[in-house]
């Protein structure tokens, strides 16, 4: 069954990028190819990917309009964004622009992934949109030894997670968490306020 996995690097204080969308702090960190959380092993299990517009624009700018992903890639945006060329054949890349709710789009993305998993590339709110619907299964983070104090948040939601695995790769802590759902305290609060409303009717 297709799982939805948010696989990303983050600072120790939970930022994907600095306030100017710079990843310079990340790109200079030493990492061992083939080690824990290694991209090549991860991508072998992926059938499709999804990202928000800022992440897409960052990739286009830093890869000079050339697209190295061979898998179907969904880009969520309200704007008309340029399509890249594929690195492999020079033709148009399989980039599918969509907008709207994950409730409507999630199934199309999982279907595109086939028997493999769906990779949520980022940003954090997009991962949160999947989590809001209970459709985010796992989070794999490579945590860099950096704090930024401000920036683009890793996952701006209140969720309980279960730690499944922790390893080290070069400068990074690589952690795999299963998403359990809304924070237990929030679930209790919402069920006690529904019980109170029911008692008042
Ligand atoms: N550290 C890492 O490994 C890593 C991984 C991923 C990303 N990043 C970086 O982190 C930053 C993330 O940026 P971000 O927080 O702005 O998030 P983002 O998800 O990349 O982009 C957010 C934008 O996506 C569009 N969007 C999101 N959900 C949508 C929906 N349901 N329907 C239509 N459009 C939707 C909206 O853009 P419009 O309305 O303008 O179209 C929204 O403003 C970027 O700098 C990226 O490069 C880092």
């Amino acid at each position: 069954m297709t799982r939805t996995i948010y696989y990303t690097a983050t600072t120790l204080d939970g930022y994907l990028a600095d306030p100017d969308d710079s990843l310079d702090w990340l790109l200079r960190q030493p990492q061992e190819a083939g080690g824990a959380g290694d991209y090549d092993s991860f991508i072998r299990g992926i059938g499709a990917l999804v990202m928000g517009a800022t992440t897409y624009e960052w990739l286009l700018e830093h890869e000079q309009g050339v697209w190295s992903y061979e898998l179907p890639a969904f880009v969520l945006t309200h704007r008309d964004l340029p399509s890249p060329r594929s690195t492999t054949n020079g033709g148009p890349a399989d980039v599918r622009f969509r907008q709207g709710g994950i409730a409507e789009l999630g199934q199309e993305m999982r279907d595109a992934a086939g028997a493999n998993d769906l990779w949520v590339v980022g940003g954090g709110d997009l991962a949160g949109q999947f989590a809001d619907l209970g459709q985010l299964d796992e989070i794999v983070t490579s945590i860099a030894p950096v704090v930024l104090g401000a920036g683009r948040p890793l996952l701006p939601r209140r969720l309980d997670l279960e730690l499944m695995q922790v390893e080290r790769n070069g400068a990074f802590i690589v952690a795999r968490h299963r998403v359990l759902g809304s924070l237990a305290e929030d679930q209790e609060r919402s069920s006690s306020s529904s019980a109170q409303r029911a008692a008042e009717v």
Side-chain angles (χ1 to χ4, degrees), residues 64-145:
Q64 282 81 42
V66 173
W67 192 249
S68 54
Y69 301 108
E70 289 173 26
L71 301 167
F74 292 87
V75 174
L76 291 181
T77 185
H78 299 97
R79 293 172 287 138
D80 283 332
L81 295 175
S83 297
R85 285 173 295 108
S86 155
T87 316
T88 37
N89 59 20
D94 186 353
V95 173
R96 308 177 190 184
F97 298 103
R98 296 289 184 273
Q99 61 174 282
I102 297 304
E104 293 75 39
L105 300 171
Q107 193 57 50
E108 180 191 1
M109 296 172 188
R110 283 189 293 277
D111 288 347
N116 288 335
D117 293 327
L118 175 66
W119 173 21
V120 180
V121 183
D125 183 70
L126 175 59
Q129 293 175 48
F130 279 89
D132 293 343
L133 295 167
Q135 292 181 9
L136 187 64
D137 298 302
E138 274 189 26
I139 304 172
V140 180
T141 45
S142 289
I143 304 166

Side-chain angles (χ1 to χ4, degrees), residues 172-191:
F172 296 91
I173 299 166
V174 182
R176 193 160 67 84
H177 288 89
R178 178 160 47 209
V179 179
L180 299 179
S182 304
L183 215 60
E185 295 77 4
D186 294 351
Q187 289 187 33
E188 267 168 40
R189 212 168 292 131
S190 95
S191 59

